[in-house]
């Protein structure tokens, strides 16, 4: 089997002192697995680099594991801890800039502070964008108070990775089924819905250069593009867009393969969105690098498409 060069960018770490936040992510994982995760989240030099070398991952963009400061109730603390986290990550990157880049942690509790920290991390620390773990205490980023944030993201030319977390209100339909609330189902629904709020809320019309990335094969959105157009045409509810909904999915909304190692799903996503909108990632350490790399290396894609998905699209997006 030939190994294809790869870039991955849903790849997580945890800064010192952020364990209290991440308990919300790992509380349903058994104790042994949780302990192993914590070891891998804290590792920058040993297992992570060895696995990257073994599976031809040239470069990764690291992000603080969720939910991070999105779960912080105090705004001033969120601002302070975002800066602390980003400085910690910058120090790790500085030790190995050929292999590591960074996504900023942002205090979305305060849009002005989020703009300031985004600007600082991109301009001063060389970060490649930001990763935000969904809503912040029930506030979604189609809210017009975030328009200056989207304007700054567009101006800087970097993307936002919209990572899942729990819904603000757990739907009644999940009652008695905790297995539906998190990563198995609920997180993907939550992240996909948030992205649709941005789309139908006109964020991409007001800021057409904005790029939002969804993991997990696009949280299901690529496979509903036709229906979004069909039903929105009948039920617009007073919403007006400059394009059909499907046209934003593949241009403003890009996706990664993280956590979905299915050749059929990969081929379907590429068929729906085009090969330029789909990129490889792992979701390490929550998913296996070996499994993800073997999945993409054996994917039934032509060489040009595989190289775009594994390396070329990310290289272009992040100006590497």
């Amino acid at each position: 089997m030939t190994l294809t060069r790869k870039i991955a960018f849903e790849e997580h770490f945890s800064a010192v002192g952020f364990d209290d936040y991440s308990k919300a992510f790992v509380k349903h994982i058994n104790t042994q697995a949780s302990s192993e995760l914590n070891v891998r989240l804290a590792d920058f030099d040993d297992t992570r680099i060895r696995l990257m070398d073994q599976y031809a991952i040239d470069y990764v963009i690291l992000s603080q594991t969720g939910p991070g400061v999105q779960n912080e109730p105090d705004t001033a603390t969120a601002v302070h801890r975002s800066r602390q986290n980003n400085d910690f990550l910058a120090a790790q990157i500085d030790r190995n800039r050929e292999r590591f880049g960074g996504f900023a942690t942002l205090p979305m509790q305060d849009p002005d502070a989020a703009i300031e920290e985004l600007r600082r991390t991109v301009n001063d620390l060389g970060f490649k964008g930001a990763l935000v773990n969904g809503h912040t205490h029930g506030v979604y980023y189609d809210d017009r108070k975030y328009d200056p944030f989207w304007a700054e993201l567009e101006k800087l030319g970097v993307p936002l990775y919209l990572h899942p977390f729990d819904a603000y209100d757990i739907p009644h339909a999940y009652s008695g089924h905790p297995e539906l609330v998190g990563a198995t189902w609920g997180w993907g629904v939550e992240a996909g819905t948030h992205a649709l709020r941005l789309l139908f809320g006109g964020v991409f019309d007001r800021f057409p250069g904005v790029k939002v990335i969804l993991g997990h094969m696009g949280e299901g959105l690529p496979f509903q593009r036709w229906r979004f157009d069909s039903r929105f045409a009948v039920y617009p509810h007073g919403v007006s867009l400059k394009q059909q909904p499907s046209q934003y999915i593949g241009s403003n909304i890009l996706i990664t393969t993280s956590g979905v190692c299915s050749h059929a799903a990969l081929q379907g996503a590429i068929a729906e969105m085009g090969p330029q909108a789909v990129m490889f990632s792992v979701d390490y350490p929550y998913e296996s690098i070996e499994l993800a790399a073997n999945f993409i290396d054996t994917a039934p894609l032509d060489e040009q498409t595989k190289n775009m998905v594994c390396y070329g699209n990310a290289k272009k997006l992040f100006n590497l």
Side-chain angles (χ1 to χ4, degrees):
M1 178 178 64
T2 302
L3 301 184
T4 305
R5 294 176 65 197
K6 304 171 187 71
I7 295 169
F9 53 95
E10 191 183 330
E11 319 308 321
H12 305 295
F13 75 97
S14 189
V16 176
F18 272 66
D19 293 353
D20 285 347
Y21 294 138
S22 60
K23 286 177 182 177
F25 258 36
V26 301
K27 63 185 177 182
H28 299 300
I29 302 174
N30 68 57
T31 302
Q32 181 178 350
S34 178
S35 296
E36 292 174 359
L37 274 173
N38 287 333
V39 169
R40 294 198 172 202
L41 286 167
D43 166 52
F44 293 87
D45 302 307
D46 299 324
T47 302
R48 192 187 297 267
I49 291 292
R50 176 178 59 79
L51 289 170
M52 288 171 62
D53 289 343
Q54 186 173 352
Y55 294 104
I57 299 175
D58 289 355
Y59 187 82
V60 301
I61 299 175
L62 299 167
S63 54
Q64 168 63 39
T65 192
V69 298
Q70 267 66 69
N71 216 29
E72 172 55 57
D74 180 73
T75 297
T77 301
V79 172
H80 168 71
R81 302 217 69 192
S82 292
R83 189 178 184 98
Q84 179 187 52
N85 188 287
N86 293 328
D87 287 344
F88 173 86
L89 177 56
Q92 306 307 313
I93 293 170
D94 281 344
R95 297 189 300 108
N96 198 346
R97 298 194 74 84
E98 290 186 359
R99 308 301 298 277
F100 293 149
F103 277 147
T105 292
L106 297 179
M108 300 299 280
Q109 292 88 339
D110 180 342
D112 290 337
I115 291 168
E116 183 178 342
E117 188 62 6
L118 176 66
R119 190 183 294 130
R120 183 183 80 92
T121 54
V122 172
N123 290 336
D124 298 346
L125 304 182
F127 282 14
K128 305 303 182 184
L131 182 145
V132 172
N133 293 285
H135 63 84
T136 300
H137 304 298
V139 177
Y140 293 86
Y141 312 132
D142 59 309
D143 190 307
R144 284 297 188 114
K145 71 181 181 181
Y146 289 100
D147 274 8
F149 171 81
W150 295 116
E152 185 66 22
L153 194 80
E154 183 180 50
K155 178 182 176 183
L156 291 169
V158 296
L160 178 79
Y161 204 119
L162 189 60
H163 192 274
F165 187 47
D166 292 341
Y168 181 68
D169 294 308
I170 304 303
H172 176 69
Y174 299 170
S175 297
H177 287 273
E179 72 279 6
L180 297 179
V181 173
T184 301
W185 177 249
W187 286 359
V189 173
E190 172 67 19
T193 301
H194 196 158
L196 290 176
R197 288 183 64 116
L198 301 178
L199 191 164
F200 288 109
V203 169
F204 305 129
D205 283 346
R206 296 193 295 278
F207 309 101
V210 162
K211 305 292 186 186
V212 171
I213 304 167
L214 293 175
H216 318 114
M217 211 66 80
E219 314 293 5
L221 297 193
F223 309 102
Q224 293 293 323
R225 289 172 75 249
W226 189 93
R227 184 162 177 81
F228 293 147
D229 290 349
S230 169
R231 295 304 87 198
F232 180 64
V234 180
Y235 308 111
H237 294 285
V239 173
S240 177
L241 296 174
K242 294 180 179 179
Q243 306 179 91
Q244 290 191 323
S246 64
Q247 292 178 275
Y248 301 91
I249 302 172
S251 56
N252 298 102
I253 297 175
L254 310 175
I255 74 167
T256 75
T257 64
S258 64
V260 179
C261 296
S262 161
H263 289 160
L266 173 64
Q267 290 175 296
I270 291 172
E272 280 288 343
M273 303 173 69
Q276 79 290 338
V278 181
M279 293 168 281
F280 171 77
S281 279
V282 178
D283 203 356
Y284 179 84
Y286 298 95
E287 300 284 353
S288 162
I289 288 179
E290 177 183 11
L291 181 63
N294 287 337
F295 146 72
I296 201 67
D297 282 328
T298 59
L301 305 175
D302 63 78
E303 185 176 356
Q304 180 181 4
T305 299
K306 187 176 291 188
N307 285 332
M308 289 175 67
V309 170
C310 287
Y311 191 88
N313 292 337
K315 181 180 179 182
K316 181 178 179 181
L317 179 64
F318 298 112
N319 295 311
L320 297 176

